[in-house]
Amino acid sequence: MGKYALLKNPENLAEAQSGKLAEIAREDKRLHSACLPKEDLRGVFKPPDGAAAAEKPDRWLSRACRSWTKEIKELSKRARRRREAIARAVELGVSNARVEAVNNKVELTVRMGCGFRDIDNLIALAMLRCSNLPIKLPGRA
């Protein structure tokens, strides 16, 4: 149960999971302090609240670069290189979820179409699957 208490959003925790998280905070300070940057990063991508939205990535980066966790330090280095793009994404409230969904559909189509002799047929099927065209099959309503 402790694993799920650490992975879930704090607002989605069940009562028992909230208790487990409080227990982890008391008994395993190292584990709890490793999870704090993750929760702070969630706050960076919350909907912007005016001028403070541009400061959120900077605040997270300043705390993350001082983290003792190797993974958080590496992430902060990568994020620092893309700081402007992250700030714009936070301000505009955009994500790449739609692109990832289409990519998933294309990859699934490629796996299904392993017997195609012609690449054009595979491309046509991928384009058809990713479009919203209604297809009427003969003999079906």
Side-chain angles (χ1 to χ4, degrees):
M1 185 183 290
K3 172 183 167 184
Y4 296 109
L6 291 170
L7 294 176
K8 286 175 91 173
N9 289 338
E11 59 269 9
N12 296 337
L13 291 174
E15 192 171 322
Q17 290 171 332
S18 294
K20 186 66 175 176
L21 191 59
E23 181 183 329
I24 289 171
R26 279 192 316 273
E27 294 179 6
D28 195 348
K29 301 228 184 275
R30 187 172 166 103
L31 176 61
H32 184 65
S33 67
C35 290
L36 291 177
K38 174 188 69 102
E39 292 305 320
D40 290 343
L41 187 59
R42 285 183 204 245
V44 169
F45 291 100
K46 297 267 185 196
D49 53 342
E55 299 169 6
K56 283 183 177 184
D58 291 332
R59 282 184 288 182
W60 184 84
L61 285 170
S62 69
R63 285 191 300 258
C65 69
R66 293 187 304 258
S67 174
W68 57 267
T69 310
K70 180 181 82 168
E71 290 81 2
I72 296 294
K73 281 186 177 181
E74 288 175 10
L75 179 63
S76 71
K77 286 178 186 176
R78 289 180 184 171
R80 191 171 301 281
R81 287 191 296 251
R82 305 210 191 301
R83 190 245 170 267
E84 291 301 319
I86 291 170
R88 281 194 305 269
V90 170
E91 287 175 26
L92 298 173
V94 297
S95 76
N96 67 339
R98 191 172 302 249
V99 173
E100 291 294 331
V102 170
N103 187 35
N104 189 24
K105 280 184 180 181
V106 170
E107 287 178 356
L108 182 64
T109 304
V110 168
R111 270 187 263 134
M112 288 172 44
C114 63
F116 282 111
R117 291 187 208 137
D118 189 6
I119 192 71
D120 291 333
N121 293 339
L122 180 60
I123 292 171
L125 183 60
M127 291 176 71
L128 184 64
R129 288 198 61 175
C130 293
S131 70
N132 291 328
L133 294 174
I135 299 174
K136 301 207 182 220
L137 297 174
R140 299 189 183 172

